[in-house]
Amino acid sequence: MEIQGDNNYVLAVKQIKTAILKSRYEAAALANKELLKLYFSIGQYVSFHSRNKNWGKGAIDSISSLLQQELHGLRGFSATNIRNMRIFYEEWECMQPFLIDKKEPLFQFSEEELNRQLPSGDLNDSFLIQQLPTAELENEWIELFLKVPFTQHRLIIRGAEVMEERVFYIQKVATEFWSFETLKHHLKSDLYQRQGKLAHNFQSTLSENAFRQKALM
């Protein structure tokens, strides 16, 4: 049957294609969200044990090697990447209420251990989350953060030291679908300094040291 010129079928193909692409995007976004939560939790676990010297020298290398022996074909858990997970947690420790399920955390810590969690740095220099004035803004920020792939998060952490600059690039990656190479180019060309402003809905709530620790619920 000749259907190529039938507008009804052309419209059907267009709508089905749109639905497929939307579904794929949402599935990828959900997978990225869960991956970030996993990496953040592993980062917390590794940070606690390595920074508190519960593990000896070379522990991360050994753990990576043993993991890959236990789970053949496992990717993304090289010693370097596990260290990147630790950095991810330590740089965004303030995101803990949003990235770790308080009722069912992936790793269990006693109250004593939680109290021994080492701070990631001087609070005056930390990139902390301010209690945003509305639930809508808070939800918007979390949604943007979780849309950014881990590789881009790593690049932003390495390439942007100022909190506002990090937020700027997270917004850009999440809303303009920047690839790793596009982000790398804009970081190198210092787009933040040239463009110089956050999106309007965050301008009134973020500043150089604007993020403050959000109280745990």
Side-chain angles (χ1 to χ4, degrees), residues 87-88 91-92 152-160 166:
I87 293 169
F88 180 54
E91 292 293 327
W92 287 106
Q152 275 92 316
H153 269 296
R154 284 168 41 202
L155 193 57
I156 290 170
I157 288 170
R158 290 201 306 265
R166 290 186 177 182

Side-chain angles (χ1 to χ4, degrees), residues 18-152:
T18 299
I20 291 171
L21 293 177
K22 180 182 178 182
S23 178
R24 285 181 175 177
Y25 172 77
E26 290 177 351
L30 180 60
N32 187 69
K33 175 180 176 180
E34 294 304 315
L35 192 64
L36 286 181
K37 289 182 175 181
L38 172 63
Y39 286 177
F40 189 86
S41 293
I42 292 174
Q44 180 194 36
Y45 181 76
V46 172
S47 177
F48 175 78
H49 288 290
S50 60
R51 300 304 190 195
N52 282 296
K53 299 183 179 179
N54 295 342
W55 295 343
K57 186 178 180 181
I60 293 176
D61 296 88
S62 297
I63 289 168
S64 172
S65 178
L66 290 169
L67 267 176
Q68 292 176 70
Q69 289 178 33
E70 290 286 330
L71 298 170
H72 297 291
L74 180 68
R75 299 180 63 183
F77 289 87
S78 66
T80 298
N81 218 33
I82 291 175
R83 290 187 181 92
N84 285 330
M85 294 174 203
R86 180 175 64 181
I87 293 169
F88 180 54
Y89 165 74
E90 291 174 351
E91 292 293 327
W92 287 106
E93 188 178 353
C94 55
M95 290 295 291
Q96 184 173 326
F98 311 115
L99 299 186
I100 293 180
D101 188 331
K102 191 176 180 181
K103 294 181 179 179
E104 296 183 8
L106 295 177
F107 298 95
Q108 297 291 336
F109 291 95
S110 67
E111 287 297 323
E112 180 183 357
E113 288 174 330
L114 287 173
N115 291 333
R116 287 168 56 205
Q117 287 276 0
L118 297 179
S120 57
D122 186 340
L123 289 179
N124 292 325
D125 297 325
S126 296
F127 304 116
L128 303 176
I129 286 209
Q130 183 186 32
Q131 195 166 14
L132 296 175
T134 67
E136 288 78 12
L137 281 174
E138 180 182 284
N139 291 335
E140 182 178 348
W141 162 247
I142 298 167
E143 183 179 349
L144 290 172
F145 188 92
L146 292 173
K147 282 182 178 179
V148 177
F150 185 62
T151 52
Q152 275 92 316

